Amino acid sequence: MKRTRQASLRNLNSFSVEAFADQLLELDSADDLQEFTSTHRFDPACDLVLGGGSNILFAADTHGTVILNRVTGKRIIADSNDEVLVEAWAGENWHKLVLWSLEQGLSGLENLALIPGLAGAAPMQNIGAYGVELSDVFDSLEALDLNGGGMREFKHGDCHFGYRDSRFKSHDAGRFLIIRIRLRLRRHFVPKLAYQGVREELNTMGIDEPGPAEVSEAVIRIRRRKLPDPAVTGNAGSFFKNPVVSRSLAEQLQKDLPGLPLYSQENDQVKLSAAWLIEHCGWKGRSMGRAAVSAQHALVLINKGDATGSEILALAEAVQASVKTNFGVELEPEPLIIGA
Ligand code: EPU
């Protein structure tokens, strides 16, 4: 188990902002996990489990221990004719796991290509893109109860998945260290092309009947075009969730704002496009200090270089305030904000 005191977190968050942790513990093996369990007393008030750092904003230092679970490994654990159960340890890079699954001839993850982060964080916020959510392929996970409850297994129904949400992000936030996840993938491929842009991209690529690798290639092309690369420009993907409101409010808004995209949900609810609302407040491409709203996608806040976490937070708050003033809609941040 690697231990660093007064550790810089700059290279451990995709915004690339500077912040320090009193202590950093890196777990690289099953032995490290064992040692961690027997020696560290987790304090949920100040300790933090960090995955790929792609969904977090450090607006302050953390006066506790940051735990990095970097234990890797992936394998097929059950294989019937069509359905294949894949297990991945939390430290696996998500995108590499997607590519590996495609190499095994498996489908299910192709629409989720190029999402930054690690496999262990995928269930936390039920990652989703281009018409698919992790919950569509999720089977179960094992996690360590940091309250001293030992290892626990969570089946699909135990995780309380929602839009960008699960029990691990909401009422059990900070309590569990996800150790490994299991996904239910398929050999027989049924493409999921409900998201219009994927079909259009495939058309541009000259492909009528895509295989899983071609769908993933289309998704990769769209993402590269629409979203800034965090390896080049610090960002955490979508900074806000798309707000879900009642149908009556959505229809009233659309009357005043023709063109506002609406996406019907269950229970007479409607999801609004946060990016559209932000762009129509004039924020797209605008800077505040060293932080900015991306000119590529209005839902993405970027670090223009050397921004502090508080500068990015100040921008986020200004964007929220203007969407509220102009349209009466509350935007909820998607990343975890430390020091909010
Ligand atoms: N739009 C604008 N301005 C922009 C960008 C988009 O007005 O700058 C409008 C357009 O009308 C567009 C609509 O917003 O048709 C939707 O845009 P997009 O398809 O890019 O999707 P999104 O709702 O903005 C969500 C996810 C993304 C995911 C895409 C594709 C959330 C919070 N974000 O974005 O996830 O890649 O759908 O499925 O649900 C992430 O979570 O980090 C992320 C990138």
Side-chain angles (χ1 to χ4, degrees):
M1 186 163 69
K2 208 191 288 166
R3 186 189 302 268
T4 315
R5 310 259 181 210
Q6 273 307 304
S8 165
L9 303 174
R10 189 180 201 128
N11 296 327
L12 297 172
N13 73 94
S14 63
F15 265 122
S16 296
V17 294
E18 186 60 285
F20 287 86
D22 286 0
Q23 171 172 251
L24 185 72
L25 291 183
E26 184 176 324
L27 316 177
D28 291 310
S29 64
D31 284 351
D32 282 358
L33 276 171
Q34 193 77 47
E35 186 187 342
F36 169 73
T37 323
S38 51
T39 58
H40 187 76
R41 238 180 106 214
F42 188 83
D43 178 355
C46 57
D47 290 356
L48 173 73
V49 177
L50 192 60
S54 53
N55 205 42
I56 195 161
L57 174 61
F58 288 103
D61 292 339
T62 117
H63 297 293
T65 298
V66 168
I67 295 133
L68 301 177
N69 178 2
R70 294 297 187 256
V71 186
T72 55
K74 50 188 177 298
R75 61 187 182 132
I76 289 174
I77 54 172
D79 193 344
S80 70
N81 273 345
D82 180 24
E83 204 169 74
V84 176
L85 200 57
V86 161
E87 181 176 79
W89 289 71
E92 281 292 325
N93 172 284
W94 175 262
H95 179 60
K96 287 189 182 152
L97 176 66
V98 173
L99 296 181
W100 174 84
S101 73
L102 296 171
E103 281 160 19
Q104 310 305 306
L106 303 175
S107 64
L109 301 184
E110 58 283 349
N111 296 47
L112 301 176
L114 215 61
I115 295 182
L118 304 181
M124 298 280 298
Q125 52 154 342
N126 186 21
I127 56 169
Y130 307 104
V132 174
E133 290 187 335
L134 180 85
S135 58
D136 298 332
V137 292
F138 180 86
D139 176 76
S140 56
L141 64 80
E142 274 170 44
L144 182 67
D145 184 347
L146 296 166
N147 269 356
M151 286 293 273
R152 294 250 318 254
E153 184 179 35
F154 294 87
K155 302 272 189 209
H156 193 294
D158 303 326
C159 295
H160 306 163
F161 288 124
Y163 165 59
R164 291 291 195 278
D165 200 24
S166 76
R167 70 184 292 163
F168 308 106
K169 200 184 172 191
S170 54
H171 56 277
D172 275 332
R175 177 167 168 195
F176 293 100
L177 176 63
I178 294 175
I179 302 295
R180 50 190 172 195
I181 65 171
R182 293 188 206 98
L183 305 173
R184 217 167 261 285
L185 306 183
R186 294 195 171 274
R187 291 203 185 281
H188 174 68
F189 176 51
V190 181
K192 298 204 181 68
L193 304 176
Y195 183 96
Q196 181 66 15
V198 177
R199 168 64 75 200
E200 286 165 9
E201 194 66 34
L202 287 162
N203 287 343
T204 310
M205 289 159 68
I207 294 165
D208 279 343
E209 287 182 29
E214 288 156 332
V215 171
S216 107
E217 184 52 34
V219 166
I220 289 170
R221 286 164 159 239
I222 298 170
R223 288 191 77 99
R224 291 219 164 107
R225 200 166 57 231
K226 279 197 181 178
L227 299 166
D229 178 356
V232 179
T233 307
N235 76 86
S238 302
F239 195 88
F240 299 102
K241 293 185 190 181
N242 284 324
V244 178
V245 302
S246 68
R247 176 165 299 281
S248 55
L249 175 58
E251 283 170 358
Q252 196 186 315
L253 277 167
Q254 209 182 34
K255 228 182 266 166
D256 299 336
L257 308 166
L260 170 66
L262 306 183
Y263 310 97
S264 288
Q265 308 291 296
E266 289 166 356
N267 304 326
D268 227 21
Q269 303 273 93
V270 175
K271 205 190 263 176
L272 308 176
S273 163
W276 195 96
L277 296 172
I278 296 168
E279 182 168 346
H280 284 76
C281 287
W283 278 106
K284 193 167 178 175
R286 224 169 104 189
S287 301
M288 223 174 90
R290 291 167 293 182
V293 174
S294 167
Q296 266 170 285
H297 199 301
L299 205 41
V300 180
L301 303 189
I302 58 169
N303 177 355
K304 293 201 304 172
D306 289 328
T308 61
S310 347
E311 275 177 283
I312 294 169
L313 182 58
L315 171 64
E317 287 169 352
V319 168
Q320 273 173 312
S322 76
V323 169
K324 176 79 180 161
T325 308
N326 285 301
F327 306 124
V329 175
E330 299 273 1
L331 292 184
E332 190 190 332
E334 199 194 301
L336 173 65
I337 299 174
I338 303 297

